[in-house]
Amino acid sequence: MNHLDVIRLLGLDAPVRAQGDGHGQVVPKDFELLVQALPPAVIAASVLLGRPDVPVRSLLDFTDETALRLADMEESLRTREHELPLSFFPQPGGMVPWGRTARDGVLLWDTTDPDTANWTTVLTDSDFQLWLDLPFSASEFIARALLGRPEGVPAFETYEEYESGSFWNVADDMRATATALANPDIGAVEEILTKVRGIGVPGVRQYAEELVDRAVKESFGALPADYLAIMREFPGGVISGIRVFPVVARPATPGLRWLDEDRLFLQWGEAQGQMFGWLTGQGSPENWRIAYTDPSGTALTHLEDQTFSTFLRRRTRGNNSLF
């Protein structure tokens, strides 16, 4: 999908673009063309684009307005003793913000690839505990948000229209999320799912479901129910400092994988130099418990009381211990 797909989904006319206009040299061309084509607005009651002058001439100028937000992210992670999933610009290949969500999340590019056309999207929540890796350009991300929005949600609203309409539904959803998370008896799976759903961007769940359905059919068969429930809504990324692989590997990106020929250790992620997964020799997937090993495979630790969901919940509640 490209910017023209987004413009068509919004029912707008694509502007005529002059040749040799310099788009795409500093940030992705599709983003610049969207900014040029769309008036300031809220898309699918969830996505707001940054509004730079286009074509963008300087990445330093482009990121200047978000410097304080980036500092907040770094301080929040440092306080929790979590590392950034990737560095920020101006570090080589660092993340660059390009928009935000209606729930105060941040949309960034992963700029690892030197070609701006190949920059993909990282989405983080307002609390910076969840970092979603999405292999989408800005245009594809927005198109998926439009196609995945619930019935009745407007495709495109001016700020004034949003504040008088959809804003109140978003506020109600945020209150419901806070109420659910305040329940001391909330289950581990539901707690993680509530946090993921609280990001509030349509289209993410559909993409995550696609990955899970493909993996279950083609590669792995039975998997723990709590893992499947979470990964049907979380497409891979970082949860409270733990990198959780996507269910299906992408180019140059690891996915759920067996570490040994006997299929006794199934790795789902990594953190602090350790490889996290399950010991699978305990019969039914519902009996699998978290284990981790160093890259050499010589030091194995088995957390016999921790499932995928309980271990992640422990992390989101501030317990960074690997034991």
Side-chain angles (χ1 to χ4, degrees):
M1 298 182 187
N2 58 36
H3 72 287
L4 294 176
D5 296 308
V6 174
I7 293 168
R8 292 190 191 101
L9 286 170
L10 293 172
L12 304 174
D13 294 326
V16 176
R17 183 167 63 90
Q19 295 296 317
D21 53 18
H23 290 307
Q25 296 179 12
V26 179
V27 300
K29 181 190 296 186
D30 75 304
F31 171 81
E32 292 187 293
L33 296 178
L34 277 176
V35 170
Q36 195 168 39
L38 304 180
V42 182
I43 300 170
S46 61
V47 181
L48 296 84
L49 297 177
R51 307 300 303 186
D53 294 330
V54 293
V56 176
R57 303 299 184 187
S58 163
L59 203 51
L60 189 62
D61 292 343
F62 180 77
T63 58
D64 184 59
E65 290 186 4
T66 58
L68 291 177
R69 185 66 160 157
L70 299 186
D72 287 345
M73 287 186 195
E74 291 184 307
E75 179 60 25
S76 175
L77 294 172
R78 188 164 39 248
T79 299
R80 295 177 178 139
E81 300 180 348
H82 295 168
E83 296 181 356
L84 271 172
L86 293 168
S87 61
F88 285 130
F89 173 84
Q91 295 297 318
M95 293 184 290
V96 172
W98 60 263
R100 60 187 179 91
T101 74
R103 302 192 186 190
D104 206 30
V106 184
L107 289 156
L108 309 103
W109 284 301
D110 175 346
T111 70
T112 304
D113 195 300
D115 186 346
T116 62
N118 296 326
W119 288 3
T120 54
T121 295
V122 177
L123 168 61
T124 186
D125 66 328
S126 59
D127 199 32
F128 316 132
Q129 288 213 59
L130 305 177
W131 298 77
L132 282 61
D133 293 332
L134 299 163
F136 308 144
S137 66
S139 289
E140 182 168 359
F141 180 86
I142 293 170
R144 283 178 173 265
L146 287 166
L147 293 170
R149 72 189 190 278
E151 185 176 351
V153 172
F156 194 73
E157 297 169 284
T158 65
Y159 294 148
E160 292 76 14
E161 290 170 337
Y162 171 74
E163 289 171 354
S164 64
S166 298
F167 168 82
W168 299 103
N169 293 329
V170 171
D172 288 343
D173 288 345
M174 293 174 70
R175 279 192 290 271
T177 296
T179 300
L181 292 174
N183 178 5
D185 299 320
I186 189 172
V189 174
E190 191 58 35
E191 184 168 335
I192 300 299
L193 289 178
T194 299
K195 289 179 181 291
V196 173
R197 292 167 183 161
I199 295 174
V201 177
V204 171
R205 181 177 188 176
Q206 289 88 332
Y207 171 64
E209 285 181 336
E210 291 169 16
L211 295 182
V212 170
D213 291 344
R214 195 186 332 156
V216 170
K217 288 179 182 177
E218 298 177 4
S219 304
F220 297 100
L223 292 166
D226 65 336
Y227 173 81
L228 290 173
I230 291 169
M231 297 306 289
R232 286 188 185 280
E233 303 200 34
F234 184 80
V238 173
I239 299 178
S240 296
I242 298 286
R243 176 159 290 282
V244 179
F245 299 157
V247 181
V248 177
R250 301 194 299 267
T253 303
L256 185 66
R257 60 189 180 183
W258 299 101
L259 283 189
D260 60 316
E261 293 181 359
D262 296 328
R263 296 194 167 195
L264 295 177
F265 193 104
L266 182 56
Q267 185 187 6
W268 54 256
E270 61 189 14
Q272 297 175 227
Q274 305 293 324
M275 306 162 78
F276 279 78
W278 299 281
L279 292 179
T280 62
Q282 300 177 351
S284 166
E286 300 317 305
N287 296 324
W288 296 355
R289 294 296 181 265
I290 297 301
Y292 63 87
T293 183
D294 63 7
S296 68
T298 58
L300 177 70
T301 300
H302 187 196
L303 306 180
E304 297 184 30
D305 62 337
Q306 296 293 326
T307 66
F308 180 74
S309 57
T310 62
F311 182 71
L312 292 180
R313 177 175 66 177
R314 191 172 77 171
R315 297 282 300 194
T316 63
R317 291 184 173 185
N319 184 347
N320 294 328
S321 170
L322 298 186
F323 296 96

